[in-house]
Amino acid sequence: MPHFQKLQYNTKAIPLAEAVRSMLSVTDLEALKPSDYAATRETDQHTKYHALFYRNISTIEPLYRLLLHSALGDKAGQFYVQKVPTFRVHLRNSRAVGTWHRDREFGHDPSEVNYWVPLTRAFGSNTLWIENTEVPASYGDIIVFDGANLLHGNEINDTDISRVSLDFRTIPRARYQPREDRSVSYRLRFRLGEYWDEP
C-alpha cells in the first residue's frame, strides 16, 4: 500500500515557482549554490533563502490560497489549514529537514495531513522519503501523506541540483482543539489565528 497520494495543480494558473524565484532574486531554483555544511534541525530553517521567503510572504499569499483550494477542492470548508506554508530548501551537500521524524513527535495533532509541493525536480537524495520510500515528484505535483504518523525525512543531497519546495498541513475542523504546544521553527501555538487558519 503506497504511503502517499499524488495530486496535480495547474502551474500556469498558480505559478508558485516563478513567484519564489522572484522572492529570492534568482533565475533558477535548481541552481542554488551548494551548502558548506549539512543542515541540522536547529539550522534547517535559517538560510538566507528562508529569510527572503518569509520576509516577503505576503507576495505569495494569493497563490497559496489558490493552491489550497486546488488541493482541497469542494471539501476545503471541512478543514483548517496551516496559515503560512513551510519553505524548504534542499541545497546540494545538505538536507532540507535536519532530522527524520513523525510530526506528532513535535506537538502536531495525529489527525493532521501533510501536503508537500515541490517547485523543482525532486528525486533520489534531494527528495522527500516516507518510511524509507523515495518520493519522486515534479513541479505541479502535490504529495499528500500522513506526516503526523509516518516516519519521513531526507538525505544529504548529492544530486546535481538543489530542490526547493513548500509544504502545509490540514486538520479536520471536527478534530481541531486549541493547543498550547508550539511549532518547532517559529514557536506558533497550534491555535486558530496563529498556526491554523481558514482556507
Side-chain angles (χ1 to χ4, degrees):
M1 182 174 180
H3 296 304
F4 63 90
Q5 175 187 9
K6 183 179 288 188
L7 308 177
Q8 292 188 313
Y9 68 99
N10 184 337
T11 59
K12 299 292 186 188
I14 310 174
L16 285 167
E18 290 83 346
V20 171
R21 285 201 302 267
S22 178
M23 292 166 82
L24 304 186
S25 298
V26 300
T27 57
D28 186 352
L29 295 175
E30 293 187 352
L32 299 182
K33 183 180 176 183
S35 178
D36 293 328
Y37 63 92
T40 65
R41 186 181 67 78
E42 292 76 19
T43 64
D44 62 19
Q45 282 284 306
H46 297 288
T47 70
K48 65 180 180 180
Y49 304 115
H50 289 85
L52 287 168
F53 179 85
Y54 291 116
R55 187 182 308 142
N56 296 290
I57 191 66
S58 62
T59 65
I60 206 170
E61 170 103 16
L63 295 178
Y64 177 52
R65 294 294 164 178
L66 289 173
L67 179 70
L68 291 171
H69 284 274
S70 177
L72 300 175
D74 295 339
K75 296 181 180 179
Q78 299 175 24
F79 298 94
Y80 291 128
V81 298
Q82 189 171 329
K83 186 173 184 177
V84 175
T86 305
F87 185 57
R88 310 284 185 189
V89 180
H90 199 164
L91 298 173
R92 287 164 284 171
N93 303 330
S94 189
R95 301 181 180 92
V97 178
T99 184
W100 285 74
H101 63 283
R102 297 172 180 87
D103 287 0
R104 69 175 190 243
E105 297 165 359
F106 295 104
H108 287 268
D109 190 286
S111 62
E112 294 177 24
V113 173
N114 294 48
Y115 293 73
W116 181 66
V117 186
L119 304 181
T120 61
R121 292 174 291 161
F123 59 91
S125 63
N126 78 22
T127 195
L128 170 70
W129 290 66
I130 304 171
E131 295 285 346
N132 296 315
T133 300
E134 176 189 354
V135 183
S138 301
Y139 181 41
D141 291 338
I142 303 174
I143 304 299
V144 185
F145 71 103
D146 183 7
N149 302 296
L150 293 176
L151 186 67
H152 59 284
N154 52 168
E155 304 287 349
I156 297 289
N157 179 3
D158 64 4
T159 72
D160 60 355
I161 67 168
S162 291
R163 181 261 290 174
V164 176
S165 60
L166 305 176
D167 56 79
F168 64 91
R169 294 161 185 81
T170 65
I171 188 169
R173 293 191 185 205
R175 297 294 299 272
Y176 166 76
Q177 293 183 3
R179 302 175 66 179
E180 295 304 312
D181 297 303
R182 292 178 181 267
S183 63
V184 171
S185 296
Y186 292 97
R187 310 304 298 160
L188 298 172
R189 291 181 301 174
F190 294 114
R191 300 175 68 96
L192 195 59
E194 288 192 44
Y195 187 86
W196 298 113
D197 198 3
E198 298 185 0

